Amino acid sequence: GDSVTQMEGPVTLSEEAFLTINCTYTATGYPSLFWYVQYPGEGLQLLLKATKADDKGSNKGFEATYRKETTSFHLEKGSVQVSDSAVYFCALSDQGYSTLTFGKGTMLLVSP
Amino acid sequence: DAGITQSPRYKITETGRQVTLMCHQTWSHSYMFWYRQDLGHGLRLIYYSAAADITDKGEVPDGYVVSRSKTENFPLTLESATRSQTSVYFCASSEVGASSPLHFGNGTRLTVT
């Protein structure tokens, strides 16, 4: 079945450091790919998405490119802030685009 | 205010009891979902619904029952709670399944003793 693998956390960075969170996937067909973010005590919210190969999703300084050849969708940000501390989830849609399969999540901790 | 609300926010129950978690959305979204979040497992789909009176199993449906008689409500019932169902439960809704953003509630933390 479809699956998503994310790097294990926590990822600890200093403010203004470069961020990469790796995500690879296994799927049949051509899924859409997503990054969701969860702040403490809250539900998840969509951060960015890409719907086809070579698409780049971007939002709030975060970027991720849909790489079909490497089945990857790595999340990057050039300069993280303390307020970016959260848990980040990579996800893919099923073939019918009805549901999402999530990775296990990666906690990011940014210190001043 | 428009949004998705879950209740209760916290619940403690005993093994074998029936418990219902409530979810209500004000957007009239077609799709609604129930996920559980556990350390080491991330989010796993329990059930989802594409419209009123249409429900489908997700990855981990055993021990759970759902219904959707109205578009805006999607309650999740644990018919006989077990300790393995201790978890944080998230309800979500979306306009058109996974093609549109999922909007999540703030979760219900359930403890089964």
Side-chain angles (χ1 to χ4, degrees):
Chain A
D2 295 350
S3 66
V4 176
T5 302
Q6 293 181 232
M7 61 189 291
E8 289 201 22
V11 174
T12 55
L13 295 173
S14 298
E15 210 165 21
E16 299 184 5
F18 185 86
L19 168 71
T20 299
I21 299 178
N22 291 336
C23 171
T24 57
Y25 67 91
T26 302
T28 52
Y30 304 96
S32 293
L33 301 174
F34 306 81
W35 278 101
Y36 277 78
V37 59
Q38 182 182 31
Y39 298 103
E42 298 182 7
L44 283 70
Q45 54 187 276
L46 179 65
L47 181 59
L48 54 84
K49 73 174 193 179
T51 57
K52 61 183 188 295
D54 299 326
D55 264 3
K56 178 186 282 189
S58 61
N59 186 25
K60 299 181 181 178
F62 291 89
E63 294 183 339
T65 301
Y66 189 165
R67 302 285 188 200
K68 194 170 187 303
E69 63 276 13
T70 54
T71 61
S72 65
F73 192 54
H74 304 321
L75 182 68
E76 296 181 336
K77 187 176 185 184
S79 176
V80 294
Q81 306 300 312
V82 172
S83 57
D84 293 327
S85 297
V87 181
Y88 292 82
F89 291 89
C90 186
L92 62 82
S93 61
D94 66 348
Q95 275 197 287
Y97 302 98
S98 293
T99 65
L100 293 182
T101 297
F102 287 89
K104 293 182 180 180
T106 302
M107 179 178 287
L108 170 65
L109 299 171
V110 181
S111 57
Chain B
D1 286 343
I4 182 164
T5 55
Q6 293 184 237
S7 61
R9 191 68 195 270
Y10 302 93
K11 177 73 177 178
I12 300 174
T13 191
E14 294 177 343
T15 301
R17 289 196 180 263
Q18 182 181 82
V19 61
T20 296
L21 310 184
M22 304 301 293
C23 180
H24 175 78
Q25 54 109 348
T26 59
W27 291 297
S28 298
H29 285 168
S30 295
Y31 279 76
M32 296 188 76
F33 309 84
W34 276 106
Y35 285 89
R36 59 177 290 175
Q37 183 177 24
D38 303 288
L39 203 60
H41 291 280
L43 271 80
R44 292 179 291 174
L45 182 65
I46 305 171
Y47 271 97
Y48 71 102
S49 168
D53 297 322
I54 300 174
T55 61
D56 274 299
K57 295 179 180 179
E59 181 185 354
V60 289
D62 293 343
Y64 303 96
V65 174
V66 293
S67 62
R68 194 159 177 217
S69 57
K70 293 184 178 181
T71 299
E72 61 267 30
N73 296 324
F74 192 40
L76 176 73
T77 298
L78 289 67
E79 293 192 303
S80 179
T82 65
R83 289 198 181 90
S84 65
Q85 293 177 309
T86 292
S87 185
V88 180
Y89 291 85
F90 286 99
C91 179
S93 71
S94 71
E95 280 189 86
V96 192
S99 300
S100 54
L102 269 63
H103 298 270
F104 284 79
N106 284 335
T108 294
R109 183 176 292 276
L110 176 68
T111 302
V112 183
T113 62

